[in-house]
């Protein structure tokens, strides 16, 4: 039989290798940023177009490459970073495998411009799927610019496998943040489709975190510092009260490399023991320095896991360091029952004169308006106004006159609204539940501040108040986002909230939909948002929590389509705005919820598919007495 084994041609081998190194645009971003750091750059700019699918460009002011190196760097196993296998145990660089550029060049159009310091001219080299198209002298500043265009142009299956631009951009931003957070001594910037997303000057760790996540982050950080023989820990943990409902801001860096470690994450969570609410995740930015000999560095280029030789010791050190910091900064509550709490009163407070309470006049109050507002609060009806206008908002000169505070465009007649409050159960619920023979009697009471109980002709109805209200608001919000805008409540003083650049970018994307629900934005700038009007159903103090929740929901679940975005927005707002378990409701409120619920299209389940009410038939009851 003839010989059948042959060596794969280079371009095929490179394409296969590329499959491991480059999964998506963010993998290219990671490799290029790391190369720039290894080249000693102090200023790195990342530019992407269409989430990196059409262009990823990294410019640095690092060492640059000679003419020969510029050609060689695209060969497989071409690296300047290690010479011997032993060097692996002394690694101070990010790269060492010499695979990244070869892999990237195999699956994209690459253009590299580079110049060494002190040279007159640089080199420009163009590569098209491993084939060198040209290499010429060029004029370029000291350093390197790598442009990667049309990723996966020659592997359509991989290209089709990429997610929506929103999802891929999110991955790029994640990668960018990880690199930027671990190198505050380098200035970074990120532009997407020509828009500046991050501009991070040279700074220290704390400032870098604040520049990435927004000014409001600063007050949330508690420093952590501990040095032992095997490990040095520096960095910050977020105060427990700011713990998020998503895991977004949790970062471990080992020797300036971002890593994931469920085990060390557990150590951090353990340090927060008893300080966090259920399902809350603390933020942390922890920089660990460990002797490279003690970690298994021969990790896969794209993997972020790392092996330590003494994990248990790391766990214990980390946990106690964080516990100590939380305690020292008085974050952990001190429970000492022996102590006389009188002694805790600060002197200044003791000597303070007694102040008579000040009566605050609710400028928004209008006796004729209250019923209307109430009805809308519980039975939904964000969309009282029948016109298709944007949420109502009137100019400043009207401030102070109550009419302007609850303006509605178009007709201000609310018959539809009032009919919801009146308890017309026969008419409303009777029809809806014909098949199930459910008709409420009109008598309701509240159980455990959680359920609304009503008797049916045929038994008993138990409604979860929070879930029911979520359903009502969800359907109403969907309607106001897609059909008729909701009423807006004008604020006497505009509300100014701080956000990170990324968050404001997300708010800009959601602005139109949010305005339909009643928000009025005076301006949305890079780190600050000014709000002039809010939905009628919420109070000013809830706005910040609500928007934070909304942003974290969007961070966790990036919607792929416009419809999913609207849906997620409505779900998130409904959840935040709905009355909570534990709220006492009077009879009118209870009835409004019952009516509102059964006027819904899908009263049985919440937007997240959880049961809203249960019924108990007289038959079932009877059986229980047998
Ligand atoms: P590795 O980083 O593992 O060495 P790469 O394929 O990423 O492998 O890069 C190959 C080589 O090209 C590097 O070792 C380095 O010498 C050179 N190189 C890559 N990017 C740059 C850059 N931005 N500036 C200077 N040299 C670079
Ligand atoms: Mg590299």
């Amino acid at each position: 039989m003839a010989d059948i084994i042959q060596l794969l041609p280079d371009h095929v081998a490179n394409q296969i290798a590329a499959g491991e190194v480059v999964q998506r645009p963010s993998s290219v971003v990671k490799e290029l940023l790391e190369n720039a750091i290894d080249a000693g750059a102090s200023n790195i700019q990342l530019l992407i177009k269409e989430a990196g699918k059409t262009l990823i460009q990294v410019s640095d002011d690092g060492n640059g490459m000679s003419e020969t190196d510029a050609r060689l760097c695209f060969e497989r196993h071409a690296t300047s970073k290690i010479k011997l296998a032993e060097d692996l145990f002394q690694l101070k660089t990010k790269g060492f495998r010499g695979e990244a550029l070869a892999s990237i060049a195999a699956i994209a159009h690459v253009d590299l411009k580079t110049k060494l310091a002190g040279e007159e001219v640089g080199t420009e080299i163009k590569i098209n799927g491993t084939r060198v198209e040209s290499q010429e002298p060029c004029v370029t500043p000291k350093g390197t610019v790598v442009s990667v265009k049309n990723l996966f142009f020659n592997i359509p299956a991989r290209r089709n496998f990429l997610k929506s631009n929103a999802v891929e951009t999110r991955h790029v931003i994640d990668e960018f943040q990880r690199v930027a957070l671990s190198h505050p001594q380098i200035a970074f910037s990120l532009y997407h489709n020509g828009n500046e997303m991050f501009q991070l000057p040279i700074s220290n760790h704390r400032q870098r975190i604040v520049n990435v996540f927004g000014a409001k982050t600063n007050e949330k950080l508690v420093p952590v510092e501990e040095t032992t023989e095997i490990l040095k820990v520096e960095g910050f943990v977020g105060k427990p009260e700011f713990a998020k409902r998503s895991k977004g801001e949790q970062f471990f860096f080992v020797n300036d490399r971002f890593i994931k470690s469920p085990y060390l994450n557990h150590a951090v969570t353990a340090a927060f023991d008893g300080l966090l609410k259920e399902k809350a995740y603390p933020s942390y930015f922890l920089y660990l320095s460990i002797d490279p000999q003690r970690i298994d560095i021969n990790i896969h280029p794209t993997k972020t896991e790392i092996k330590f030789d003494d994990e248990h010791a790391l766990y214990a050190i980390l946990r106690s360091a964080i516990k100590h910091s939380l305690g020292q900064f008085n974050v952990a509550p001190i429970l000492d029952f022996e102590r006389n709490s009188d002694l805790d009163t600060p002197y200044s407070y003791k000597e303070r004169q007694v102040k008579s309470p000040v009566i605050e006049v609710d400028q928004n109050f209008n006796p004729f308006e209250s019923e209307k507002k109430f009805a809308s609060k519980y039975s939904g009806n964000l969309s009282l106004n029948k016109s298709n206008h944007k949420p109502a908002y009137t100019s400043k000169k009207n401030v102070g006159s109550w009419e302007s505070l609850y303006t509605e465009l178009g007709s201000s007649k609310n018959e539809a609204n009032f009919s919801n409050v009146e308890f017309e159960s026969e008419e409303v619920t009777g029809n809806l539940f014909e098949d199930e023979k459910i008709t409420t009697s009109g008598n309701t009471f509240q159980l455990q501040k959680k359920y609304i109980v009503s008797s049916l002709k045929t038994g008993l109805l138990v409604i979860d108040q929070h879930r029911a209200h979520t359903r009502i608001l969800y359907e109403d919000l969907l309607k106001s986002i897609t059909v008729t805008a909701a009423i807006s409540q004008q604020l006497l003083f505009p509300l100014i909230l701080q956000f990170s650049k990324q968050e404001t970018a997300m708010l800009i994307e959601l602005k139109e939909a949010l305005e339909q629900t009643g928000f009025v934005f005076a301006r949305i700038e890079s780190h600050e948002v000014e709000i002039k009007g809010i939905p009628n159903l919420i109070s000013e103090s809830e706005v910040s929590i609500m928007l934070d929740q909304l942003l974290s929901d969007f961070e966790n679940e990036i919607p792929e389509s416009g419809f999913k975005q609207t849906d997620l927005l409505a779900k998130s707002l409904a959840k935040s705005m709905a009355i909570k378990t534990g709220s006492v409701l009077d009879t009118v409120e209870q009835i409004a919820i019952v009516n509102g619920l059964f006027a819904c299209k899908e009263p049985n389940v919440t937007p997240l598919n959880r049961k809203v009410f249960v019924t108990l038939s007289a038959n079932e009851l009877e059986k229980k007495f047998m």
Side-chain angles (χ1 to χ4, degrees):
M1 208 173 114
D3 299 335
I4 49 170
I5 297 177
Q6 39 177 296
L7 286 175
L8 287 176
D10 255 7
H11 71 275
V12 179
N14 280 340
Q15 266 194 19
I16 295 170
E20 285 188 28
V21 182
V22 185
Q23 271 106 37
R24 49 177 15 126
S26 66
S27 339
V28 175
V29 165
K30 174 174 189 270
E31 294 298 336
L32 297 184
L33 291 178
E34 291 190 346
N35 279 347
I37 293 169
D38 284 345
S42 52
N43 202 324
I44 301 176
Q45 190 191 65
L46 166 64
L47 212 141
I48 57 169
K49 279 196 183 139
E50 283 185 76
K53 291 172 185 171
T54 45
L55 175 72
I56 300 164
Q57 184 183 76
V58 172
S59 321
D60 69 57
D61 59 354
N63 300 331
M65 283 178 266
S66 71
E67 203 184 316
T68 322
D69 282 354
R71 173 70 197 78
L72 255 182
C73 72
F74 291 104
E75 295 296 329
R76 218 132 65 88
H77 308 305
T79 180
S80 54
K81 298 167 195 175
I82 58 168
K83 292 196 170 65
L84 305 165
E86 289 85 86
D87 295 345
L88 276 177
F89 300 99
Q90 292 303 331
L91 267 187
K92 293 263 150 46
T93 53
K94 309 265 152 207
F96 55 86
R97 295 168 149 253
E99 254 176 5
L101 287 180
S103 301
I104 294 168
I107 45 140
H109 298 133
V110 179
D111 178 21
L112 172 118
K113 282 187 199 174
T114 187
K115 197 183 80 162
L116 294 168
E119 295 283 321
E120 284 283 302
V121 284
T123 305
E124 175 167 12
I125 180 162
K126 288 189 172 150
I127 299 198
N128 177 351
T130 312
R131 230 186 24 248
V132 180
E133 300 278 304
S134 66
Q135 177 161 13
E136 283 160 4
C138 76
V139 179
T140 183
K142 176 206 157 209
T144 306
V145 183
V146 185
S147 313
V148 177
K149 293 174 199 159
N150 311 321
L151 195 66
F152 298 131
F153 78 98
N154 49 0
I155 318 179
R158 299 291 302 277
R159 197 171 167 87
N160 296 337
F161 184 71
L162 293 178
K163 294 272 169 49
S164 69
N165 283 359
V167 173
E168 295 300 341
T169 307
R170 177 74 244 173
H171 284 294
V172 169
I173 290 175
D174 281 347
E175 212 58 75
F176 175 84
Q177 288 183 340
R178 291 166 181 177
V179 173
L181 285 171
S182 48
H183 296 277
Q185 74 286 5
I186 300 174
F188 286 92
S189 57
L190 166 58
Y191 292 82
H192 185 205
N193 293 336
N195 299 319
E196 180 192 294
M197 296 191 79
F198 291 94
Q199 189 65 254
L200 311 171
I202 291 174
S203 57
N204 57 27
H205 278 144
R206 185 174 194 130
Q207 288 166 334
R208 178 54 56 92
I209 295 167
V210 169
N211 286 333
V212 170
F213 292 106
K216 66 176 177 197
T217 319
N218 198 22
E219 52 159 332
K220 302 181 185 174
L221 300 177
V222 179
V224 177
E225 218 179 325
E226 180 71 84
T227 311
T228 69
E229 256 176 44
I230 58 168
L231 166 75
K232 188 169 159 208
V233 187
E234 285 168 288
F236 305 89
V237 291
K239 291 179 185 163
E241 64 264 36
F242 295 111
K244 289 197 152 193
R245 277 189 251 183
S246 69
K247 298 182 189 175
E249 293 172 9
Q250 303 192 324
F251 297 90
F252 281 119
F253 302 96
V254 172
N255 300 347
D256 295 338
R257 205 190 275 273
F258 171 80
I259 62 139
K260 282 187 186 142
S261 168
Y263 186 69
L264 294 186
N265 175 62
H266 194 272
V268 179
T269 317
F272 275 87
D273 191 28
L275 295 174
L276 295 173
K277 282 190 230 133
E278 216 187 313
K279 286 195 194 137
Y281 301 94
S283 326
Y284 56 81
F285 310 87
L286 294 165
Y287 301 88
L288 281 53
S289 313
I290 307 175
D291 179 352
Q293 309 241 20
R294 288 180 169 273
I295 49 185
D296 182 358
I297 198 66
N298 204 1
I299 41 166
H300 191 276
T302 59
K303 281 200 185 134
T304 41
E305 284 94 32
I306 207 168
K307 283 214 183 90
F308 308 102
D309 71 353
D310 190 355
E311 277 198 329
H312 294 300
L314 289 193
Y315 186 102
I317 295 167
L318 200 57
R319 200 184 87 148
S320 85
I322 295 171
K323 256 197 142 98
H324 180 77
S325 295
L326 289 174
Q328 207 178 24
F329 285 82
N330 284 330
V331 178
I334 303 158
L335 291 176
D336 185 353
F337 297 109
E338 302 298 317
R339 230 163 87 183
N340 181 350
S341 59
D342 287 352
L343 299 174
D344 286 343
T345 319
Y347 290 108
S348 58
Y349 188 74
K350 270 189 185 160
E351 283 153 20
R352 218 170 71 177
Q353 296 225 323
V354 181
K355 254 196 190 167
S356 33
V358 183
I359 298 167
E360 278 182 22
V361 180
D362 180 1
Q363 307 228 26
N364 294 357
F365 181 70
N366 163 20
F368 307 106
E369 199 82 357
S370 62
E371 215 168 344
K372 177 171 113 191
K373 195 186 177 197
F374 165 76
S376 102
K377 178 151 182 150
Y378 289 100
S379 50
N381 280 313
L382 289 161
S383 41
L384 290 176
N385 47 332
K386 300 277 177 284
S387 72
N388 263 328
H389 294 266
K390 286 270 147 83
Y393 179 70
T394 42
S395 67
K396 275 224 159 76
K397 62 177 189 276
N398 283 336
V399 172
S401 75
W402 62 266
E403 285 101 328
S404 68
L405 295 169
Y406 292 104
T407 21
E408 276 172 56
L409 294 180
S411 154
S412 60
K413 295 226 162 69
N414 303 303
E415 295 95 340
N417 192 20
F418 276 101
S419 71
N420 269 343
V421 190
E422 286 160 27
F423 199 67
E424 297 287 348
S425 54
E426 288 299 327
E427 189 191 303
V428 180
T429 55
N431 295 342
L432 273 163
F433 285 82
E434 204 103 74
D435 357 332
E436 287 151 292
K437 302 261 182 314
I438 294 182
T439 315
T440 54
S441 66
N443 297 323
T444 60
F445 66 90
Q446 208 186 3
L447 191 69
Q448 295 186 318
K449 298 183 199 155
K450 181 168 188 196
Y451 303 105
I452 300 168
V453 182
S454 174
S455 61
L456 302 165
K457 266 186 191 158
T458 56
L460 197 70
L461 173 72
V462 184
I463 300 173
D464 182 309
Q465 64 188 43
H466 172 69
R467 293 186 186 181
H469 200 209
T470 309
R471 163 54 65 182
I472 298 168
L473 291 174
Y474 167 73
E475 291 199 3
D476 239 65
L477 282 159
L478 269 188
K479 208 188 316 158
S480 52
I481 298 170
T482 51
V483 192
T484 36
I487 317 172
S488 186
Q489 158 188 186
Q490 183 185 320
L491 298 173
L492 281 179
F493 302 101
L495 201 60
I496 295 179
L497 300 174
Q498 315 280 323
F499 291 100
S500 71
K501 223 178 194 153
Q502 220 180 312
E503 290 170 329
T504 48
M506 215 184 285
L507 285 175
I508 289 172
E509 207 181 304
L510 297 174
K511 180 169 176 262
E512 209 178 308
L514 282 170
E515 288 188 334
Q516 290 283 107
T517 72
F519 279 99
V520 182
F521 296 98
R523 62 189 166 89
I524 302 186
E525 276 161 15
S526 64
H527 290 291
E528 217 171 74
V529 172
E530 186 181 334
I531 300 174
K532 295 196 292 192
I534 58 176
N536 208 352
L537 306 188
I538 58 171
S539 69
E540 204 174 322
S541 58
E542 292 167 314
V543 174
S544 155
I545 301 169
M546 216 172 96
L547 291 179
D548 274 348
Q549 179 62 45
L550 180 76
L551 291 167
S552 108
D553 285 344
F554 268 78
E555 229 166 72
N556 280 341
E557 186 188 329
I558 298 158
E560 295 253 340
S561 65
F563 170 72
K564 282 206 178 136
Q565 187 175 36
T566 307
D567 189 60
L568 182 58
L569 181 85
K571 276 182 190 157
S572 174
L573 294 185
K575 194 174 58 188
S576 309
M577 284 156 73
I579 46 150
K580 304 281 177 296
T581 297
S583 319
V584 179
L585 304 176
D586 64 29
T587 321
V588 186
E589 291 167 331
Q590 294 166 23
I591 291 171
I593 291 214
V594 176
N595 276 343
L597 176 66
F598 292 117
C600 283
K601 289 198 181 102
E602 267 186 78
N604 299 20
V605 287
T606 68
L608 294 174
N609 243 337
R610 323 239 340 237
K611 206 180 272 183
V612 173
F613 61 87
V614 291
T615 54
L616 189 64
S617 71
N619 280 346
E620 285 170 288
L621 261 179
E622 252 160 50
K623 273 188 207 146
K624 287 192 190 294
F625 285 102
M626 291 215 279

